[in-house]
């Protein structure tokens, strides 16, 4: 099996290299170990080509075309990266947002067999009706409508057969590709490509387990159990497995179907305001939110109740992250660049901002750009792009949930403007920011923070004597070692090492040549064999010199390839 996987990965990586070459990314192939997988005939054929239509597109468009050709797993990775403005430039994010996972449905008979295998009983014992025509399909699974024997209408989400093995194979391939191209990716500004793939692997592993989505639905149902204007469908826990998700079917129209809302006697403006209030409550009150509120996932019932479906993508913020995120918006509203900078620093997973003054200056320019606009002219989309540009410029490592929120607010603003002619996202965010500020500095929260700080200090005081004793014991025995890591010198040290190695080879080559010359002057016994008039020992010396010459020139030849 290991041999089979290795051959499969090698073949797939060679295909990836071919696709990269076809779309004009020669530098990715020629400057990384991927070049070893391109045949000599392919190299010559590639060099003979002069003008290719692929160059009529931009570099970012060609990256999108490559992702589309490589298949669903790569598309999902690109879609996930489209929410990471700290890693990618905005132009590439715009291209990734165009990607669609258009996958045809798999046969219904396979869906029926998979349900029976997962639940361990015939389909007829579980459902009184099962619609063979799927409501929709995606790269991971598809959805069918059904009815339980108790009369409840449900939708059944079924994982595509063999998709787990396919995704796991593609993930192994991604790890291998990152290993081969890590130096190139770092030179392009992607500092931690392996971490990105690891995070994506965790996300995909979670998405392949439908019980995670069911738990998210149950958690939000509990948080909103007292809300009358918001509803989350019920998951049927006893029927759910890692590959099957059975949830309550909910009637309703898309939130952007303004004509249907008016036909039901509902106010589109009120629906938009209620939807925004629900979403901001998820972010700023619970810190746990539905992360994909596009119109197809937000329904409205005839009585005006808003329903969220498809919880495959959710986001979470800790209490401190929630305060810091709100502080960014509050600082902007108060035109306080320093406050924005400090809250960005609190929000970042690492607080390493090399030049805080330059950072504050850029935030101040952002504030000035938006302060001159009328409220009606302000756009969440423009603000999100500006914030994400600053995050990318300063390489801030902020939680992925922040980008999910910004993306969701942009989507909700688009929905709001369809329903509400005077809809403005900032007017809705402002009171929540003020509420968060009051909560952050409330006596209860200050007491909680003081208790946490006191606990940490007490733990430090408890362990400090032990740590000091161990240090003193090592010093007295002469066992204390200090590890110093020099960053930025790796390339220099590597070149120095190569120079030393080449110098040694050159000296050995010189010694071989000198020995060959001196061997011609020697007086040898009659037993010494000669070849072409020269003693064999001379030929041995010349052979050794030729071998050393090959070793000396080999790195240059590799680079020329």
């Amino acid at each position: 099996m290991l041999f089979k996987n290795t051959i499969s990965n090698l073949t797939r990586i060679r295909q990836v290299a071919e696709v990269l070459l076809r779309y004009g990314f020669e530098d990715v192939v020629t400057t990384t170990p991927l070049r070893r997988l391109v045949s000599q005939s392919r190299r010559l054929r590639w060099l003979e080509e002069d003008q290719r239509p692929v160059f009529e597109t931009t570099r970012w468009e060609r990256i999108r075309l490559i992702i589309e050709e490589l298949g669903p797993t790569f598309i999902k990775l690109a879609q996930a990266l489209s929410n990471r403005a700290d890693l990618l430039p905005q132009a590439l994010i715009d291209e990734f947002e165009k990607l669609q996972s258009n996958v045809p449905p798999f046969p219904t008979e396979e869906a029926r067999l998979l349900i029976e295998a997962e639940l361990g009983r015939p389909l007829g014992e579980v459902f009184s009706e099962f619609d063979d025509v799927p409501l929709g399909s995606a790269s991971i699974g598809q959805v069918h409508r059904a009815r339980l024997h108790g009369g409840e209408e449900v939708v059944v989400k079924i994982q595509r057969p063999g998709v787990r093995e396919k995704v796991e194979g593609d993930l192994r391939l991604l790890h291998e590709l990152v290993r081969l191209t890590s130096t190139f990716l770092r030179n392009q500004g992607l500092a931690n490509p392996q971490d990105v793939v690891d995070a994506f692997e965790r996300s995909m592993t979670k998405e392949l387990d439908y019980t995670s989505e069911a738990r998210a639905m149950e958690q939000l149902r509990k948080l909103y159990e007292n809300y009358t204007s918001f509803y989350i469908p019920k998951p049927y826990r006893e029927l759910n497995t890692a590959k099957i998700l059975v949830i309550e079917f909910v009637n309703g129209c898309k939130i952007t179907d303004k004509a249907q809302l008016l036909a039901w006697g509902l106010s589109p403006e009120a629906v938009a305001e209620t939807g925004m209030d629900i979403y901001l409550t998820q972010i700023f009150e619970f810190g746990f939110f539905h992360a994909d509120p596009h119109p197809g996932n937000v329904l409205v019932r005839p009585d005006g109740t808003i329903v969220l479906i498809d919880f495959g993508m959710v986001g979470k913020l800790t209490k401190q992250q929630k305060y810091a995120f709100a502080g960014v918006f509050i600082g902007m509203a108060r035109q306080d660049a320093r406050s924005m900078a400090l809250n960005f620093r609190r929000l970042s997973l690492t607080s390493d901002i090399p030049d805080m003054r330059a950072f504050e200056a850029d935030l101040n320019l952002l504030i000035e750009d938006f302060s001159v606009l009328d409220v009606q002219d302000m756009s969440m989309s423009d603000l999100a792009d500006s914030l994400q540009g600053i995050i990318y410029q300063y390489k801030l490592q902020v939680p992925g949930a922040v980008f999910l929120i910004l993306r969701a607010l942009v989507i909700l603003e688009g929905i709001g403007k369809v329903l509400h002619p005077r809809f403005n996202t900032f007017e809705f965010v402002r009171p929540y920011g003020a509420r968060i500020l009051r909560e952050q500095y409330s006596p209860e929260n200050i007491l909680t923070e003081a208790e946490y700080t006191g606990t940490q200090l007490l733990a430090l005081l408890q362990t400090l004597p032990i740590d000091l004793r161990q240090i003193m014991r090592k010093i007295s025995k002469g066992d204390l070692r200090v590890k110093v890591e020099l960053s930025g010198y790796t390339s220099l040290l590597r070149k120095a090492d190569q120079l030393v190695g080449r110098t040694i080879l050159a000296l050995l080559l010189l010694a071989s040549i000198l020995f060959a010359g001196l061997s011609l002057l020697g007086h040898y016994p009659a037993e010494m064999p000669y070849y072409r008039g020269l003693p064999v020992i001379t030929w041995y010396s010349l052979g050794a010199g030729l071998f050393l010459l090959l070793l000396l020139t080999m790195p240059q030849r590799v680079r020329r390839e």
Side-chain angles (χ1 to χ4, degrees):
M1 179 61 72
L2 179 61
F3 178 75
K4 183 179 178 182
N5 287 337
T6 302
I7 296 299
S8 175
N9 284 348
L10 189 61
T11 303
R12 184 71 168 131
I13 292 172
R14 184 176 287 110
Q15 291 171 354
V16 171
E18 294 282 341
V19 172
L20 288 169
L21 286 174
R22 187 161 66 251
Y23 283 96
F25 286 88
E26 300 92 349
D27 53 340
V28 181
V29 179
T30 59
T31 61
T32 69
L34 287 175
R35 67 177 179 268
R36 301 170 189 161
L37 302 176
V38 182
S39 65
Q40 190 67 32
S41 60
R42 178 65 182 88
R43 296 183 196 182
L44 293 174
R45 190 164 67 250
W46 163 46
L47 290 172
E48 289 168 0
E49 298 172 358
D50 293 327
Q51 295 180 348
R52 283 165 286 175
V54 71
F55 287 112
E56 295 174 5
T57 58
T58 67
R59 185 178 181 86
W60 313 125
E61 288 173 316
R62 297 202 304 276
I63 293 175
R64 173 175 57 81
L65 292 171
I66 289 170
I67 295 294
E68 287 177 344
E69 189 163 334
L70 292 177
T73 306
F74 290 84
I75 290 175
K76 280 195 165 290
L77 173 60
Q79 289 172 333
L81 288 173
S82 69
N83 298 315
R84 296 300 306 272
D86 56 333
L87 300 176
L88 303 180
Q90 189 60 41
L92 184 55
I93 288 173
D94 292 340
E95 288 298 323
F96 280 174
E97 288 176 346
K98 299 176 185 177
L99 290 167
Q100 299 292 329
S101 301
N102 295 321
V103 181
F106 59 90
T108 303
E109 186 57 35
E110 291 185 24
R112 289 171 170 268
L113 291 173
L114 196 147
I115 293 172
E116 291 178 347
E118 283 293 302
L119 299 181
R121 45 184 165 154
L123 191 75
E125 288 186 12
V126 183
F127 306 108
S128 60
E129 299 176 19
F130 186 85
D131 192 350
D132 286 341
V133 180
L135 293 174
S137 65
S139 57
I140 299 297
Q142 66 188 37
V143 178
H144 289 258
R145 192 169 173 180
R147 186 185 297 273
L148 299 177
H149 285 288
E152 304 96 329
E153 286 189 273
V154 296
V155 291
V156 187
K157 193 172 180 180
I158 309 149
Q159 194 170 107
R160 190 174 289 273
V163 70
R164 179 179 290 275
E165 292 74 16
K166 176 69 168 61
V167 169
E168 288 174 352
D170 282 344
L171 287 171
R172 286 195 299 270
L173 171 65
L174 279 170
H175 281 292
E176 185 64 15
L177 283 173
V178 166
R179 187 185 68 80
L180 292 171
T181 62
S182 57
T183 303
F184 176 86
L185 293 172
R186 289 191 183 95
N187 291 338
Q188 300 302 308
L190 191 58
N192 51 349
Q194 191 60 59
D195 292 346
V196 172
V197 175
D198 289 342
F200 176 66
E201 183 173 20
R202 289 193 296 270
S203 173
M204 286 300 296
T205 302
K206 194 173 181 181
E207 189 171 348
L208 288 168
D209 184 1
Y210 285 166
T211 58
S212 297
E213 185 173 344
R215 284 195 298 271
M217 296 178 72
E218 289 174 344
Q219 188 173 349
L220 274 171
R221 276 175 64 85
K222 186 174 182 180
L223 292 173
Y224 281 94
E225 59 186 355
N226 296 322
Y227 280 68
T228 57
S229 58
F230 179 47
Y231 187 74
I232 297 170
K234 170 190 172 184
Y236 288 82
R237 181 181 295 184
E238 68 278 8
L239 298 176
N240 292 332
T241 70
K243 297 182 179 180
I244 302 292
L245 179 62
V246 180
I247 59 175
E248 175 187 2
F249 175 78
V250 178
N251 269 314
C253 71
K254 282 186 179 182
I255 192 171
T256 50
D257 191 347
K258 193 172 181 178
Q260 184 61 67
L261 296 178
L262 292 171
W264 285 339
L266 300 175
S267 165
E269 292 86 354
V271 169
E273 292 173 3
T274 302
M276 196 67 181
D277 180 70
I278 288 168
Y279 195 81
L280 293 176
T281 301
Q282 291 180 45
I283 298 170
F284 293 112
E285 186 170 337
F286 301 131
F288 182 63
F289 56 93
H290 184 287
D292 193 19
H294 68 74
N297 285 341
V298 187
L299 306 180
V300 182
R301 283 175 159 177
D303 62 356
T305 303
I306 291 178
V307 181
L308 280 178
I309 61 173
D310 192 354
F311 287 79
M313 187 186 297
V314 294
K316 296 181 181 180
L317 287 176
T318 66
K319 182 185 287 187
Q320 296 306 318
Q321 290 169 350
K322 184 175 67 173
Y323 292 153
F325 183 71
V328 170
F329 281 89
I330 294 169
M332 183 175 175
R334 293 177 173 176
Q335 299 187 21
D336 186 349
R338 175 163 293 183
S339 174
M340 284 187 75
L342 291 174
N343 280 290
F344 258 125
R345 196 168 189 170
R346 291 173 58 200
L347 188 60
S348 299
L349 302 177
T350 59
S351 58
D352 184 20
I353 300 175
D355 191 342
M356 279 295 289
R357 290 185 180 181
F359 185 54
E360 287 181 24
D362 285 338
L363 289 174
N364 194 58
L365 287 174
L366 172 68
I367 291 172
E368 289 176 357
D369 287 343
F370 280 87
S371 64
V372 298
L373 296 176
D374 185 76
V375 175
Q376 295 303 318
D377 297 327
M378 296 180 76
S379 165
M380 189 65 217
S381 177
D382 293 339
L383 177 61
D385 287 347
S386 298
L387 289 175
Q388 290 178 165
I390 288 175
I391 290 170
Y392 177 74
Q393 177 185 349
Y394 286 91
K395 303 299 179 188
L396 301 180
Q397 296 183 31
V398 301
V402 170
F403 301 106
L404 294 177
I405 292 172
L406 292 175
R407 173 178 173 270
L409 289 175
V410 171
I411 295 172
L412 290 168
E413 183 178 63
I415 293 172
K417 288 182 176 178
V418 171
L419 304 176
H420 197 319
R422 298 177 304 280
F423 188 88
N424 186 271
T425 309
F426 298 96
E427 292 299 315
F428 290 97
V429 173
R430 187 173 295 163
Y432 279 90
R435 188 188 306 173
I436 285 291
L437 199 63
R438 289 195 298 271
E439 177 188 332
Q440 183 179 0
Y441 295 107
S442 66
E444 295 83 3
N445 193 61
I446 291 174
L447 180 61
T448 301
E449 288 297 314
E451 290 177 353
Y452 175 76
T453 303
T455 303
Q456 296 287 0
L457 183 60
L458 183 61
L460 175 64
L461 292 174
Q462 288 175 337
T463 59
L464 188 60
I466 299 173
D467 293 338
L468 286 174
R469 192 178 299 116
Q470 290 177 345
I471 292 171
M472 295 303 294
R473 187 179 295 119
K474 287 186 176 182
I475 291 174
S476 63
K477 291 182 178 181
D479 292 338
L480 186 65
R481 298 178 183 179
V482 178
K483 182 179 178 181
V484 179
E485 184 175 341
L486 299 176
S487 61
Y489 292 95
T490 306
S491 177
L492 184 62
L493 290 173
R494 188 183 299 115
K495 289 181 179 178
D497 183 58
Q498 291 173 352
L499 182 61
V500 170
R502 291 171 66 83
T503 302
I504 293 171
L505 286 174
L507 290 173
L508 290 173
L509 174 60
L510 180 61
S512 298
I513 294 172
L514 288 173
F515 183 80
L518 292 172
S519 66
L520 296 173
L521 304 176
H523 299 282
Y524 303 104
E527 294 81 10
M528 170 64 72
Y530 280 72
Y531 178 72
R532 292 184 179 272
L534 298 178
V536 171
I537 193 171
T538 303
W539 287 108
Y540 285 155
S541 182
L542 290 174
L546 181 61
F547 176 71
L548 290 168
L549 182 63
L550 288 173
L551 288 179
L552 193 62
T553 58
M554 190 176 295
Q556 295 177 350
R557 292 183 180 181
V558 170
R559 281 199 294 273
R560 280 200 295 270
E561 287 185 6

